[in-house]
Amino acid sequence: MQISAEPIIYGLIFVAVLVMVEGIYLTVFGKSISLNSKVNRRLEMLEKGGNREEVLEQLRKEMNQHINGAKFPLYSLLSEKAQKANIAFTPTQLIGVMCALSIMAYFGLTIGTAAAMPVRIVVALAMGFGGVYMWINNKAKKRLAMIEEQLPDAVELMVRSLRVGHPFSSAVNIVAREVPDPLGSEFGMIADESAYGREVSESLKDLAERMDMQDLRFLAVAVTIQQQSGGNLAEILDGLSKVIRARFKLFRRVKAITAEAKWSGMFLSAFPIVALIAIITIKPDYYDTVKETAVFIPACLAVAVFLFTNVIYMKIMVNIKV
């Protein structure tokens, strides 16, 4: 039995691309850019001697650069995800990283496989650009999930600050000091913008729209209504924190209930591809007797369409809206 190593090499090169993009990111910006630090990045930049205005300008530049870079035809596919992930790479740097990883993947495929040049070029581009997209998408999901988890605690911290007599701007500043990233730096920018004269409600609205998060919209609307109509903001935010925490618990419960269905859908979607890779690896000549026939290509296209349709329907079936 002849075993082909090419599918394994493809997989190893793609994994290497994902590892390298994370390594490049941490090498360029250091561990402070990760979300594992207990001290948020804004405070670390200030502790290193950064001027408050310069730090705010740097963070705002990183925050807005991806939407401004959506004018690039290819980058427009990544801009929204990169904005939510708050990737510190500029659009030009990200495109450069994609190209560099594609070139490295091409050389890896040239050394490790016997595929034709057009195939190597297409696969290398798919690995370089697809790997960066997967990396950004994973960063965005992780960051949004952490913000959702931190938000109830941050609102409760503001409630306690308001009840002891602090103004709302001071309550936001306390959250900026006490809460780690990602929410700590976001509220730190709101506190800095407030110090330079911007309305806190406007900054909260911008944050909610940038993150596209309903709970942040609730917070922005609650603060705006209180500023315009008056009322006990501490009581309003206390009720809001309970609503946000209840929503979060409900999301977790739905996620737990649908976990089996999601994993079943993922398994059923991935099994045909894994089986195909296993067949090609274990017996590379398995399809030699039929691949020259007239129906082979149409049959492959039909299977690909059915597989794609299966993935879409599986995703729709387990995507429960709350």
Side-chain angles (χ1 to χ4, degrees):
M1 180 178 64
Q2 182 183 4
I3 298 179
S4 174
E6 286 198 6
I8 300 175
I9 293 173
Y10 284 117
L12 291 176
I13 291 175
F14 186 67
V15 172
V17 167
L18 294 176
V19 173
M20 286 179 65
V21 67
E22 179 71 16
I24 292 171
Y25 193 60
L26 293 179
T27 300
V28 173
F29 297 103
K31 291 185 178 180
S32 65
I33 201 71
S34 68
L35 298 178
N36 300 321
S37 177
K38 297 300 181 183
V39 178
N40 64 61
R41 183 165 175 249
R42 170 180 166 272
L43 291 181
E44 287 190 356
M45 294 170 71
L46 290 173
E47 288 175 358
K48 291 178 180 177
N51 181 274
R52 186 178 183 183
E53 185 176 355
E54 293 175 353
V55 170
L56 174 61
E57 185 63 28
Q58 174 65 23
L59 293 175
R60 290 184 69 179
K61 180 181 177 182
E62 293 176 2
M63 179 178 64
N64 295 319
Q65 63 186 351
H66 300 291
I67 291 301
N68 297 334
K71 59 185 178 182
F72 296 106
L74 181 63
Y75 192 76
S76 60
L77 301 174
L78 299 172
S79 59
E80 184 178 351
K81 294 287 186 183
Q83 179 190 4
K84 291 179 180 179
N86 199 29
I87 300 297
F89 278 137
T90 65
T92 305
Q93 288 172 337
L94 265 180
I95 293 174
V97 169
M98 291 179 188
C99 295
L101 292 175
S102 298
I103 292 171
M104 296 180 70
Y106 175 79
F107 282 115
L109 293 170
T110 302
I111 296 171
T113 68
M117 181 180 291
V119 174
R120 295 200 304 270
I121 292 174
V122 172
V123 173
L125 289 173
M127 286 184 176
F129 288 80
V132 171
Y133 180 83
M134 286 182 61
W135 175 74
I136 291 175
N137 187 53
N138 181 62
K139 287 278 185 184
K141 286 183 177 180
K142 182 179 179 181
R143 189 166 186 267
L144 291 176
M146 291 185 71
I147 289 177
E148 287 180 345
E149 189 169 353
Q150 289 176 321
L151 188 57
D153 294 332
V155 175
E156 289 178 356
L157 182 57
M158 285 190 287
V159 170
R160 291 194 294 269
S161 300
L162 291 170
R163 282 177 172 167
V164 298
H166 292 294
F168 184 64
S169 57
S170 297
V172 172
N173 216 348
I174 291 172
V175 172
R177 291 198 309 268
E178 300 296 331
V179 176
D181 275 338
L183 196 61
S185 290
E186 294 288 353
F187 270 77
M189 285 189 288
I190 292 174
D192 290 341
E193 289 173 346
S194 174
Y196 288 112
R198 191 182 188 192
E199 290 288 339
V200 176
S201 58
E202 293 298 323
S203 298
L204 285 171
K205 287 178 184 177
D206 285 350
L207 173 61
E209 293 305 318
R210 193 169 69 251
M211 294 294 104
D212 191 22
M213 191 175 296
Q214 194 64 36
D215 292 338
L216 283 171
R217 291 193 181 98
F218 291 157
L219 176 60
V221 169
V223 173
T224 302
I225 292 174
Q226 191 276 337
Q227 288 181 345
Q228 293 176 353
S229 305
N232 190 334
L233 184 58
E235 294 299 324
I236 295 172
L237 294 183
D238 184 47
L240 178 62
S241 68
K242 293 176 181 177
V243 171
I244 294 174
R245 196 174 293 280
R247 278 169 49 84
F248 186 72
K249 289 181 179 179
L250 180 60
F251 288 142
R252 284 289 181 90
R253 183 176 299 177
V254 170
K255 186 176 180 180
I257 293 173
T258 60
E260 182 181 357
K262 286 184 177 180
W263 279 102
S264 298
M266 290 171 60
F267 174 79
L268 293 174
S269 300
F271 180 77
I273 298 175
V274 174
L276 178 62
I277 293 173
I279 290 172
I280 296 174
T281 302
I282 297 172
K283 190 172 178 57
D285 58 344
Y286 184 79
Y287 293 104
D288 286 354
T289 57
V290 295
K291 68 180 181 180
E292 301 298 333
T293 60
V295 298
F296 182 73
I297 299 299
C300 290
L301 293 175
V303 170
V305 170
F306 281 122
L307 180 60
F308 181 76
T309 306
N310 168 70
V311 172
I312 297 298
Y313 272 93
M314 286 289 183
K315 190 173 183 63
I316 292 173
M317 289 173 64
V318 298
N319 186 22
I320 298 177
K321 299 292 183 181
V322 179

